[in-house]
Coordinates of all heavy atoms in Angstrom, one line a residue:
M1 N -31.4 86.5 -43.7 CA -31.5 85.1 -43.8 C -32.4 84.7 -45.0 O -33.4 85.2 -45.1 CB -32.0 84.5 -42.5 CG -32.3 83.0 -42.5 SD -33.1 82.3 -41.1 CE -32.1 82.8 -39.8
S2 N -31.9 83.8 -45.8 CA -32.7 83.4 -46.9 C -33.7 82.3 -46.5 O -33.6 81.8 -45.4 CB -31.8 82.8 -48.0 OG -31.3 81.5 -47.6
F3 N -34.7 82.1 -47.3 CA -35.7 81.1 -47.0 C -35.1 79.7 -46.8 O -35.5 79.0 -45.9 CB -36.7 81.0 -48.2 CG -37.8 80.0 -48.0 CD1 -38.8 80.2 -47.0 CD2 -37.7 78.8 -48.7 CE1 -39.7 79.2 -46.8 CE2 -38.7 77.8 -48.5 CZ -39.7 78.0 -47.5
I4 N -34.1 79.4 -47.6 CA -33.4 78.1 -47.5 C -32.7 77.9 -46.2 O -32.9 76.9 -45.5 CB -32.4 77.8 -48.7 CG1 -33.2 77.7 -50.0 CG2 -31.6 76.6 -48.4 CD1 -32.3 77.7 -51.2
E5 N -32.0 79.0 -45.7 CA -31.3 78.9 -44.4 C -32.4 78.8 -43.3 O -32.2 78.1 -42.4 CB -30.5 80.2 -44.2 CG -29.3 80.3 -45.1 CD -28.6 81.7 -45.0 OE1 -29.3 82.7 -44.8 OE2 -27.4 81.7 -45.1
F6 N -33.5 79.6 -43.4 CA -34.5 79.6 -42.4 C -35.2 78.2 -42.3 O -35.4 77.7 -41.3 CB -35.5 80.7 -42.7 CG -36.5 80.8 -41.6 CD1 -36.2 81.4 -40.4 CD2 -37.8 80.4 -41.7 CE1 -37.1 81.5 -39.3 CE2 -38.8 80.6 -40.7 CZ -38.4 81.1 -39.5
S7 N -35.4 77.6 -43.5 CA -36.0 76.3 -43.5 C -35.1 75.3 -42.9 O -35.5 74.4 -42.2 CB -36.3 75.9 -45.0 OG -37.3 76.7 -45.5
F8 N -33.8 75.4 -43.1 CA -32.8 74.5 -42.5 C -32.9 74.6 -41.0 O -32.9 73.6 -40.3 CB -31.4 74.8 -43.0 CG -30.4 74.0 -42.3 CD1 -30.2 72.6 -42.6 CD2 -29.6 74.6 -41.4 CE1 -29.3 71.9 -41.9 CE2 -28.6 73.8 -40.7 CZ -28.5 72.5 -40.9
V9 N -32.9 75.8 -40.5 CA -32.9 76.0 -39.1 C -34.2 75.4 -38.5 O -34.2 74.7 -37.5 CB -32.8 77.5 -38.7 CG1 -33.1 77.7 -37.2 CG2 -31.5 78.0 -39.1
L10 N -35.4 75.7 -39.1 CA -36.6 75.1 -38.6 C -36.6 73.6 -38.7 O -37.1 72.9 -37.8 CB -37.8 75.7 -39.3 CG -38.1 77.1 -39.0 CD1 -39.3 77.6 -39.9 CD2 -38.4 77.4 -37.6
N11 N -36.1 73.0 -39.7 CA -36.1 71.6 -39.9 C -35.1 70.9 -38.9 O -35.3 69.8 -38.6 CB -35.8 71.2 -41.3 CG -36.9 71.5 -42.3 OD1 -38.1 71.6 -41.9 ND2 -36.6 71.8 -43.5
S12 N -34.1 71.6 -38.6 CA -33.1 71.0 -37.7 C -33.4 71.2 -36.2 O -32.6 70.6 -35.4 CB -31.7 71.6 -38.0 OG -31.6 72.9 -37.7
V13 N -34.4 71.9 -35.9 CA -34.7 72.1 -34.5 C -36.0 71.4 -34.1 O -37.0 71.4 -34.8 CB -34.9 73.7 -34.2 CG1 -35.4 73.9 -32.8 CG2 -33.7 74.4 -34.6
S14 N -35.9 70.7 -33.0 CA -37.2 70.0 -32.5 C -37.2 70.3 -31.0 O -36.4 70.9 -30.4 CB -37.1 68.5 -32.8 OG -35.9 68.0 -32.2
V15 N -38.3 69.8 -30.4 CA -38.5 70.0 -29.0 C -37.4 69.3 -28.2 O -37.0 68.2 -28.5 CB -39.9 69.5 -28.5 CG1 -40.0 69.6 -27.0 CG2 -41.0 70.3 -29.3
A16 N -36.8 70.0 -27.3 CA -35.6 69.5 -26.6 C -36.0 68.4 -25.6 O -37.0 68.5 -24.8 CB -34.9 70.6 -25.8
T17 N -35.2 67.4 -25.6 CA -35.3 66.3 -24.6 C -33.8 66.2 -24.2 O -32.9 66.7 -24.8 CB -35.8 65.0 -25.2 OG1 -35.0 64.6 -26.2 CG2 -37.3 65.2 -25.7
A18 N -33.6 65.4 -23.1 CA -32.3 65.3 -22.6 C -31.3 64.8 -23.6 O -30.2 65.3 -23.8 CB -32.3 64.3 -21.4
P19 N -31.6 63.8 -24.4 CA -30.6 63.3 -25.4 C -30.3 64.3 -26.5 O -29.2 64.3 -27.0 CB -31.3 62.0 -26.0 CG -32.3 61.6 -25.1 CD -32.8 62.9 -24.4
N20 N -31.3 65.1 -26.9 CA -31.0 66.0 -28.0 C -30.7 67.5 -27.6 O -30.6 68.4 -28.4 CB -32.1 66.0 -29.1 CG -33.3 66.7 -28.7 OD1 -33.4 67.3 -27.6 ND2 -34.3 66.6 -29.5
F21 N -30.5 67.7 -26.3 CA -30.2 69.1 -25.8 C -28.9 69.6 -26.4 O -28.9 70.7 -26.9 CB -30.1 69.0 -24.2 CG -29.9 70.3 -23.6 CD1 -31.0 71.1 -23.4 CD2 -28.7 70.8 -23.3 CE1 -30.9 72.4 -22.8 CE2 -28.5 72.1 -22.7 CZ -29.6 72.8 -22.4
S22 N -27.9 68.8 -26.4 CA -26.6 69.3 -26.9 C -26.7 69.4 -28.4 O -26.0 70.2 -29.1 CB -25.4 68.4 -26.5 OG -25.6 67.1 -27.0
A23 N -27.5 68.5 -29.1 CA -27.6 68.6 -30.5 C -28.3 69.9 -30.9 O -28.0 70.5 -31.9 CB -28.5 67.4 -31.0
Q24 N -29.3 70.3 -30.1 CA -29.9 71.6 -30.3 C -28.9 72.7 -30.3 O -28.9 73.6 -31.1 CB -31.0 71.8 -29.3 CG -32.2 70.9 -29.3 CD -33.3 71.4 -30.2 OE1 -33.3 72.5 -30.5 NE2 -34.1 70.5 -30.6
A25 N -28.1 72.7 -29.2 CA -27.1 73.8 -29.0 C -26.1 73.8 -30.2 O -25.6 74.8 -30.6 CB -26.5 73.7 -27.7
N26 N -25.8 72.6 -30.7 CA -24.8 72.5 -31.8 C -25.4 73.0 -33.1 O -24.6 73.3 -34.0 CB -24.4 71.0 -32.0 CG -23.5 70.5 -30.9 OD1 -22.8 71.3 -30.2 ND2 -23.5 69.2 -30.7
N27 N -26.7 73.3 -33.2 CA -27.3 73.9 -34.4 C -27.0 75.3 -34.5 O -27.2 76.0 -35.5 CB -28.8 73.6 -34.5 CG -29.1 72.2 -34.8 OD1 -28.3 71.5 -35.6 ND2 -30.2 71.7 -34.3
I28 N -26.5 75.9 -33.4 CA -26.3 77.4 -33.4 C -24.9 77.6 -34.1 O -23.9 77.1 -33.6 CB -26.3 78.0 -32.0 CG1 -27.7 77.8 -31.3 CG2 -25.9 79.4 -32.0 CD1 -27.7 78.1 -29.9
P29 N -24.8 78.4 -35.1 CA -23.5 78.6 -35.8 C -22.6 79.5 -34.9 O -23.1 80.2 -34.0 CB -23.9 79.4 -37.1 CG -25.2 80.1 -36.7 CD -25.9 79.2 -35.7
M30 N -21.3 79.4 -35.1 CA -20.4 80.3 -34.4 C -20.6 81.7 -34.9 O -20.7 81.9 -36.1 CB -19.0 79.8 -34.7 CG -17.9 80.5 -33.9 SD -18.1 80.2 -32.1 CE -17.7 78.5 -31.9
L31 N -20.7 82.6 -34.0 CA -20.9 84.0 -34.4 C -19.6 84.6 -35.0 O -18.5 84.3 -34.6 CB -21.2 84.9 -33.1 CG -21.4 86.3 -33.3 CD1 -22.6 86.6 -34.2 CD2 -21.6 87.0 -32.0
S32 N -19.8 85.3 -36.2 CA -18.7 85.9 -36.8 C -19.1 87.4 -37.1 O -20.2 87.8 -36.7 CB -18.4 85.2 -38.2 OG -19.4 85.4 -39.1
G33 N -18.2 88.1 -37.7 CA -18.5 89.5 -37.9 C -19.6 89.7 -39.0 O -20.1 90.9 -39.2
T34 N -20.0 88.7 -39.7 CA -20.9 88.9 -40.8 C -22.2 88.1 -40.7 O -23.1 88.3 -41.5 CB -20.2 88.4 -42.1 OG1 -19.9 87.0 -42.0 CG2 -19.0 89.2 -42.5
N35 N -22.4 87.3 -39.6 CA -23.6 86.5 -39.5 C -24.4 86.8 -38.3 O -25.2 85.9 -37.9 CB -23.2 85.0 -39.6 CG -22.5 84.5 -38.3 OD1 -22.0 85.3 -37.5 ND2 -22.5 83.2 -38.1
F36 N -24.4 88.0 -37.8 CA -25.1 88.3 -36.5 C -26.6 88.0 -36.7 O -27.2 87.4 -35.8 CB -24.8 89.7 -36.0 CG -25.7 90.0 -34.8 CD1 -25.3 89.5 -33.6 CD2 -26.8 90.7 -34.9 CE1 -26.1 89.7 -32.4 CE2 -27.6 91.0 -33.8 CZ -27.2 90.5 -32.5
K37 N -27.2 88.5 -37.7 CA -28.7 88.4 -37.9 C -29.1 86.9 -37.9 O -30.0 86.5 -37.2 CB -29.1 89.1 -39.1 CG -30.6 89.1 -39.3 CD -31.1 89.8 -40.5 CE -32.6 89.8 -40.7 NZ -33.0 90.4 -41.9
F38 N -28.3 86.1 -38.7 CA -28.6 84.6 -38.8 C -28.4 84.0 -37.4 O -29.2 83.2 -37.0 CB -27.8 84.0 -39.9 CG -28.0 82.5 -40.0 CD1 -29.2 82.0 -40.5 CD2 -27.0 81.6 -39.7 CE1 -29.4 80.6 -40.6 CE2 -27.1 80.3 -39.8 CZ -28.3 79.8 -40.2
W39 N -27.3 84.3 -36.8 CA -26.9 83.8 -35.5 C -28.0 84.1 -34.5 O -28.5 83.2 -33.7 CB -25.6 84.3 -35.0 CG -25.2 83.9 -33.6 CD1 -24.5 82.8 -33.3 CD2 -25.4 84.6 -32.4 NE1 -24.3 82.7 -32.0 CE2 -24.8 83.8 -31.4 CE3 -26.0 85.8 -32.1 CZ2 -24.9 84.2 -30.1 CZ3 -26.1 86.2 -30.7 CH2 -25.5 85.4 -29.7
K40 N -28.4 85.3 -34.4 CA -29.5 85.8 -33.4 C -30.8 85.0 -33.7 O -31.4 84.5 -32.7 CB -29.7 87.3 -33.5 CG -30.7 87.8 -32.6 CD -30.9 89.3 -32.7 CE -32.0 89.8 -31.8 NZ -33.1 90.4 -32.4
E41 N -31.2 84.9 -34.9 CA -32.4 84.2 -35.2 C -32.4 82.7 -34.9 O -33.3 82.1 -34.3 CB -32.8 84.4 -36.7 CG -33.2 85.8 -37.1 CD -33.4 86.0 -38.6 OE1 -33.0 85.2 -39.4 OE2 -34.0 87.1 -38.9
T42 N -31.2 82.1 -35.1 CA -31.0 80.7 -34.8 C -31.0 80.5 -33.3 O -31.7 79.6 -32.8 CB -29.7 80.2 -35.4 OG1 -29.6 80.4 -36.8 CG2 -29.5 78.7 -35.1
V43 N -30.4 81.4 -32.5 CA -30.4 81.4 -31.0 C -31.8 81.5 -30.5 O -32.2 80.7 -29.7 CB -29.5 82.5 -30.4 CG1 -29.8 82.6 -29.0 CG2 -28.0 82.2 -30.7
E44 N -32.6 82.4 -31.1 CA -34.0 82.6 -30.6 C -34.8 81.4 -30.9 O -35.6 81.0 -30.1 CB -34.6 83.8 -31.3 CG -34.0 85.1 -30.8 CD -34.4 86.4 -31.5 OE1 -34.9 86.2 -32.7 OE2 -34.3 87.5 -31.0
I45 N -34.7 80.8 -32.1 CA -35.4 79.6 -32.4 C -35.0 78.4 -31.5 O -35.9 77.7 -31.0 CB -35.2 79.2 -33.9 CG1 -35.9 80.2 -34.8 CG2 -35.8 77.8 -34.2 CD1 -35.5 80.1 -36.3
V46 N -33.8 78.1 -31.4 CA -33.3 77.0 -30.6 C -33.7 77.2 -29.1 O -34.3 76.3 -28.5 CB -31.8 76.9 -30.7 CG1 -31.2 75.9 -29.6 CG2 -31.4 76.4 -32.0
L47 N -33.5 78.4 -28.5 CA -33.9 78.6 -27.1 C -35.4 78.5 -27.0 O -35.9 78.0 -26.0 CB -33.3 79.9 -26.6 CG -31.8 80.0 -26.5 CD1 -31.4 81.3 -26.1 CD2 -31.3 78.9 -25.5
G48 N -36.2 79.0 -28.0 CA -37.6 79.0 -27.9 C -38.1 77.5 -27.9 O -39.0 77.2 -27.2
C49 N -37.5 76.7 -28.8 CA -37.9 75.3 -28.9 C -37.6 74.5 -27.6 O -38.2 73.6 -27.3 CB -37.3 74.6 -30.1 SG -38.0 75.2 -31.7
M50 N -36.5 75.0 -27.0 CA -36.1 74.3 -25.7 C -36.9 74.9 -24.5 O -36.6 74.5 -23.4 CB -34.6 74.5 -25.5 CG -33.8 73.9 -26.6 SD -32.1 74.4 -26.6 CE -31.4 73.2 -25.5
D51 N -37.7 75.9 -24.8 CA -38.5 76.6 -23.7 C -37.6 77.2 -22.7 O -37.8 77.1 -21.5 CB -39.5 75.6 -23.1 CG -40.6 76.4 -22.3 OD1 -40.9 77.5 -22.7 OD2 -41.1 75.8 -21.4
L52 N -36.5 77.8 -23.2 CA -35.5 78.5 -22.3 C -35.4 80.0 -22.6 O -34.5 80.6 -22.1 CB -34.1 77.9 -22.5 CG -34.0 76.4 -22.1 CD1 -32.7 75.9 -22.5 CD2 -34.2 76.3 -20.6
D53 N -36.3 80.5 -23.4 CA -36.2 81.9 -23.8 C -37.0 82.9 -23.0 O -37.1 84.0 -23.3 CB -36.7 82.0 -25.3 CG -38.2 81.6 -25.5 OD1 -38.7 81.0 -24.6 OD2 -38.7 82.0 -26.5
L54 N -37.4 82.5 -21.8 CA -38.1 83.4 -20.9 C -37.2 84.7 -20.6 O -37.8 85.8 -20.7 CB -38.4 82.7 -19.6 CG -39.1 83.5 -18.5 CD1 -40.5 83.9 -19.0 CD2 -39.2 82.8 -17.2
A55 N -36.0 84.5 -20.4 CA -35.1 85.7 -20.1 C -34.9 86.6 -21.3 O -34.6 87.8 -21.1 CB -33.7 85.2 -19.6
L56 N -35.2 86.1 -22.5 CA -35.1 86.9 -23.7 C -36.4 87.6 -23.9 O -36.4 88.6 -24.6 CB -34.8 86.0 -24.9 CG -33.5 85.2 -24.9 CD1 -33.3 84.4 -26.1 CD2 -32.3 86.2 -24.7
K57 N -37.5 87.2 -23.4 CA -38.8 87.7 -23.7 C -39.3 88.7 -22.6 O -40.0 89.7 -22.9 CB -39.9 86.6 -23.8 CG -39.6 85.7 -25.0 CD -40.8 84.7 -25.2 CE -41.0 83.8 -24.0 NZ -42.0 82.8 -24.2
V58 N -39.0 88.5 -21.3 CA -39.5 89.4 -20.3 C -38.4 89.8 -19.3 O -37.4 89.1 -19.2 CB -40.6 88.7 -19.4 CG1 -41.8 88.3 -20.3 CG2 -40.1 87.4 -18.8
E59 N -38.6 90.9 -18.7 CA -37.7 91.4 -17.6 C -37.7 90.5 -16.4 O -38.8 89.8 -16.2 CB -38.0 92.8 -17.2 CG -38.0 93.8 -18.4 CD -36.9 94.8 -18.2 OE1 -36.3 94.9 -17.1 OE2 -36.7 95.6 -19.2
R60 N -36.7 90.5 -15.6 CA -36.6 89.7 -14.4 C -37.7 90.2 -13.4 O -37.8 91.4 -13.2 CB -35.3 89.8 -13.7 CG -35.1 88.9 -12.5 CD -33.7 89.0 -12.0 NE -33.4 88.0 -11.0 CZ -33.5 88.2 -9.7 NH1 -33.9 89.3 -9.2 NH2 -33.2 87.2 -8.9
P61 N -38.5 89.3 -12.9 CA -39.6 89.7 -12.0 C -38.9 90.3 -10.7 O -37.9 89.9 -10.3 CB -40.3 88.4 -11.6 CG -39.9 87.5 -12.7 CD -38.6 87.9 -13.2
S62 N -39.6 91.3 -10.1 CA -39.1 91.9 -8.9 C -39.9 91.4 -7.7 O -41.2 91.4 -7.8 CB -39.2 93.4 -9.0 OG -38.4 93.9 -10.1
P63 N -39.3 91.1 -6.6 CA -40.0 90.7 -5.5 C -40.6 91.9 -4.8 O -40.0 93.0 -4.8 CB -39.0 90.0 -4.5 CG -37.7 90.5 -5.0 CD -37.8 90.9 -6.4
T64 N -41.8 91.8 -4.2 CA -42.4 92.9 -3.5 C -42.8 92.3 -2.1 O -42.8 91.1 -1.9 CB -43.7 93.4 -4.2 OG1 -44.6 92.4 -4.3 CG2 -43.4 93.9 -5.6
S65 N -43.1 93.2 -1.2 CA -43.5 92.7 0.1 C -44.8 91.9 0.1 O -45.0 91.0 0.9 CB -43.6 93.9 1.1 OG -44.6 94.8 0.6
D66 N -45.7 92.3 -0.8 CA -47.0 91.6 -1.0 C -46.8 90.3 -1.7 O -47.5 89.3 -1.5 CB -48.0 92.4 -1.7 CG -48.3 93.7 -1.0 OD1 -48.1 93.7 0.3 OD2 -48.8 94.6 -1.6
N67 N -45.9 90.2 -2.7 CA -45.7 89.0 -3.5 C -44.2 88.8 -3.8 O -43.6 89.5 -4.6 CB -46.5 89.2 -4.9 CG -46.5 88.0 -5.7 OD1 -46.0 87.0 -5.3 ND2 -47.1 88.1 -6.9
P68 N -43.6 87.8 -3.2 CA -42.2 87.6 -3.3 C -41.8 87.1 -4.7 O -40.6 87.2 -5.1 CB -41.8 86.6 -2.2 CG -43.1 86.0 -1.8 CD -44.2 86.9 -2.2
N69 N -42.7 86.5 -5.5 CA -42.4 86.0 -6.8 C -41.3 85.0 -6.9 O -40.5 84.9 -7.9 CB -42.1 87.2 -7.8 CG -43.3 87.9 -8.2 OD1 -44.4 87.4 -8.3 ND2 -43.2 89.2 -8.4
E70 N -41.1 84.3 -5.8 CA -39.9 83.4 -5.7 C -39.9 82.3 -6.9 O -38.8 82.1 -7.5 CB -39.9 82.6 -4.4 CG -39.6 83.5 -3.2 CD -39.8 82.8 -1.9 OE1 -39.9 81.6 -1.9 OE2 -39.7 83.5 -0.9
V71 N -41.0 81.7 -7.2 CA -41.0 80.7 -8.3 C -40.7 81.4 -9.6 O -39.9 80.9 -10.4 CB -42.4 80.0 -8.3 CG1 -42.5 79.1 -9.5 CG2 -42.6 79.2 -7.0
K72 N -41.3 82.5 -9.9 CA -41.1 83.2 -11.2 C -39.6 83.7 -11.3 O -39.0 83.6 -12.3 CB -42.0 84.4 -11.3 CG -43.4 84.1 -11.6 CD -44.3 85.3 -11.7 CE -45.7 85.0 -12.0 NZ -46.6 86.2 -12.2
I73 N -39.1 84.2 -10.2 CA -37.7 84.6 -10.2 C -36.7 83.5 -10.4 O -35.8 83.5 -11.2 CB -37.3 85.4 -8.9 CG1 -38.1 86.7 -8.9 CG2 -35.8 85.6 -8.8 CD1 -38.0 87.4 -7.5
E74 N -37.0 82.3 -9.8 CA -36.2 81.2 -9.9 C -36.2 80.6 -11.4 O -35.2 80.3 -11.9 CB -36.6 80.1 -8.9 CG -35.8 78.9 -8.9 CD -36.2 77.9 -7.9 OE1 -36.5 78.3 -6.7 OE2 -36.3 76.7 -8.2
K75 N -37.4 80.6 -12.0 CA -37.5 80.2 -13.3 C -36.8 81.1 -14.3 O -36.1 80.7 -15.2 CB -39.0 80.1 -13.7 CG -39.3 79.5 -15.1 CD -40.7 79.3 -15.3 CE -40.9 78.7 -16.7 NZ -42.3 78.4 -17.0
W76 N -37.0 82.4 -14.1 CA -36.3 83.4 -14.9 C -34.8 83.3 -14.8 O -34.1 83.3 -15.8 CB -36.7 84.8 -14.6 CG -36.3 85.9 -15.5 CD1 -37.0 86.3 -16.6 CD2 -35.0 86.5 -15.6 NE1 -36.2 87.2 -17.3 CE2 -35.0 87.4 -16.7 CE3 -33.9 86.5 -14.8 CZ2 -33.9 88.2 -17.0 CZ3 -32.8 87.3 -15.1 CH2 -32.8 88.1 -16.2
D77 N -34.3 83.2 -13.6 CA -32.8 83.0 -13.3 C -32.3 81.8 -14.0 O -31.2 81.8 -14.6 CB -32.5 83.0 -11.8 CG -32.6 84.3 -11.2 OD1 -32.7 85.4 -11.9 OD2 -32.7 84.4 -9.9
R78 N -33.0 80.7 -14.0 CA -32.6 79.5 -14.6 C -32.5 79.7 -16.1 O -31.5 79.3 -16.8 CB -33.5 78.3 -14.3 CG -33.1 77.0 -15.0 CD -34.1 75.9 -14.6 NE -33.6 74.6 -15.2 CZ -33.8 74.2 -16.5 NH1 -34.4 75.1 -17.3 NH2 -33.4 73.1 -16.9
S79 N -33.6 80.3 -16.7 CA -33.6 80.6 -18.1 C -32.4 81.4 -18.5 O -31.7 81.2 -19.5 CB -34.9 81.2 -18.5 OG -34.9 81.7 -19.8
N80 N -32.2 82.5 -17.8 CA -31.1 83.4 -18.1 C -29.7 82.7 -18.0 O -28.9 82.9 -18.9 CB -31.1 84.6 -17.1 CG -30.1 85.6 -17.4 OD1 -30.1 86.1 -18.5 ND2 -29.3 86.0 -16.5
R81 N -29.5 81.9 -17.0 CA -28.2 81.2 -16.8 C -28.0 80.3 -18.0 O -26.9 80.2 -18.5 CB -28.3 80.5 -15.5 CG -27.0 79.8 -15.1 CD -27.0 79.2 -13.7 NE -28.1 78.2 -13.5 CZ -29.2 78.4 -12.8 NH1 -29.5 79.5 -12.2 NH2 -30.1 77.4 -12.8
I82 N -29.0 79.5 -18.4 CA -28.8 78.5 -19.4 C -28.6 79.2 -20.8 O -27.8 78.8 -21.6 CB -29.9 77.5 -19.5 CG1 -29.9 76.6 -18.2 CG2 -29.8 76.6 -20.7 CD1 -31.0 75.7 -18.0
C83 N -29.4 80.3 -21.0 CA -29.3 81.1 -22.2 C -27.9 81.6 -22.4 O -27.3 81.5 -23.4 CB -30.3 82.2 -22.2 SG -32.0 81.8 -22.6
M84 N -27.4 82.1 -21.3 CA -26.0 82.7 -21.3 C -25.0 81.6 -21.6 O -24.0 81.8 -22.4 CB -25.6 83.4 -20.0 CG -26.5 84.6 -19.7 SD -26.2 85.9 -20.9 CE -24.5 86.4 -20.4
M85 N -25.1 80.4 -21.0 CA -24.2 79.4 -21.3 C -24.2 78.9 -22.8 O -23.2 78.7 -23.4 CB -24.4 78.2 -20.4 CG -24.0 78.4 -18.9 SD -24.1 76.9 -17.9 CE -25.9 76.5 -18.0
I86 N -25.4 78.8 -23.3 CA -25.6 78.4 -24.7 C -25.0 79.4 -25.6 O -24.3 79.1 -26.6 CB -27.0 78.0 -25.0 CG1 -27.4 76.7 -24.3 CG2 -27.3 77.9 -26.5 CD1 -28.9 76.4 -24.3
M87 N -25.3 80.7 -25.4 CA -24.9 81.7 -26.3 C -23.3 81.9 -26.2 O -22.7 82.1 -27.2 CB -25.6 83.1 -26.0 CG -27.0 83.1 -26.4 SD -27.8 84.7 -26.3 CE -28.0 84.8 -24.5
K88 N -22.8 81.8 -25.0 CA -21.3 82.0 -24.9 C -20.6 80.9 -25.6 O -19.5 81.1 -26.1 CB -20.9 81.9 -23.4 CG -21.2 83.2 -22.7 CD -20.7 83.1 -21.2 CE -21.0 84.4 -20.5 NZ -20.5 84.3 -19.1
R89 N -21.2 79.7 -25.7 CA -20.6 78.6 -26.4 C -20.4 78.9 -27.9 O -19.6 78.3 -28.5 CB -21.5 77.4 -26.2 CG -21.0 76.1 -26.6 CD -21.9 75.0 -26.2 NE -21.4 73.7 -26.7 CZ -21.8 73.2 -27.8 NH1 -22.7 73.8 -28.6 NH2 -21.3 72.0 -28.2
S90 N -21.3 79.7 -28.4 CA -21.2 80.0 -29.9 C -20.6 81.4 -30.2 O -20.7 81.8 -31.3 CB -22.6 79.9 -30.5 OG -23.5 80.9 -30.0
I91 N -20.0 82.0 -29.2 CA -19.3 83.3 -29.4 C -17.8 83.1 -29.2 O -17.4 82.7 -28.1 CB -19.9 84.4 -28.5 CG1 -21.4 84.6 -28.7 CG2 -19.1 85.7 -28.7 CD1 -22.0 85.5 -27.7
P92 N -17.0 83.4 -30.2 CA -15.6 83.2 -30.0 C -15.0 84.1 -28.9 O -15.5 85.2 -28.7 CB -15.0 83.6 -31.4 CG -16.1 83.6 -32.3 CD -17.3 83.8 -31.5
K93 N -14.0 83.6 -28.2 CA -13.4 84.3 -27.1 C -12.8 85.7 -27.6 O -12.7 86.6 -26.8 CB -12.3 83.5 -26.5 CG -12.9 82.3 -25.7 CD -11.7 81.6 -25.0 CE -12.2 80.2 -24.5 NZ -13.0 80.1 -23.4
A94 N -12.5 85.8 -28.9 CA -11.9 87.0 -29.4 C -12.9 88.2 -29.3 O -12.6 89.3 -29.3 CB -11.5 86.8 -30.8
F95 N -14.2 87.9 -29.3 CA -15.3 88.9 -29.2 C -15.4 89.3 -27.8 O -15.8 90.3 -27.4 CB -16.6 88.4 -29.8 CG -16.7 88.3 -31.3 CD1 -17.7 87.6 -31.9 CD2 -15.7 88.8 -32.1 CE1 -17.8 87.5 -33.2 CE2 -15.8 88.7 -33.5 CZ -16.8 88.0 -34.0

């Protein structure tokens, strides 16, 4: 990714609110056979700014008998589910 492309991505991404949630997701380019690195970096930036990148950063918490981790698991599952929906939206069905 060139500096100009990276600057464009950073300038076009802001903290997500309800009205700009879809605008954020629209900033992710369609994945092709030649743009994976740029696509991945854009996905990481957009999901990070939307505070949805938990599933990309840490493994799913495991419940134990001492600590069920219900809140952490629920938050991780939500992050994972939304990340998958956003990423699938920018990957052609042919892949």
Side-chain angles (χ1 to χ4, degrees):
M1 173 186 306
S2 72
F3 177 74
I4 294 171
E5 291 172 326
F6 187 71
S7 295
F8 172 75
V9 171
L10 288 179
N11 290 335
S12 65
V13 176
S14 60
V15 176
T17 60
N20 72 6
F21 186 83
S22 63
Q24 295 269 342
N26 286 335
N27 285 330
I28 300 172
M30 189 62 68
L31 179 63
S32 69
T34 59
N35 72 341
F36 176 76
K37 185 177 178 182
F38 178 68
W39 176 86
K40 180 181 180 237
E41 290 172 348
T42 306
V43 166
E44 289 172 342
I45 291 168
V46 169
L47 294 175
C49 289
M50 298 167 89
D51 198 26
L52 295 171
D53 61 343
L54 179 64
L56 300 178
K57 295 188 299 188
V58 298
E59 300 246 350
R60 186 176 191 265
S62 300
T64 62
S65 56
D66 297 338
N67 186 2
N69 287 328
E70 292 174 8
V71 173
K72 288 182 179 181
I73 292 171
E74 186 176 315
K75 186 175 180 178
W76 190 95
D77 286 344
R78 180 181 184 280
S79 170
N80 186 55
R81 187 175 57 254
I82 295 173
C83 284
M84 294 295 291
M85 288 188 299
I86 290 171
M87 287 188 288
K88 282 181 179 180
R89 188 172 178 269
S90 65
I91 299 174
K93 292 184 193 283
F95 288 167

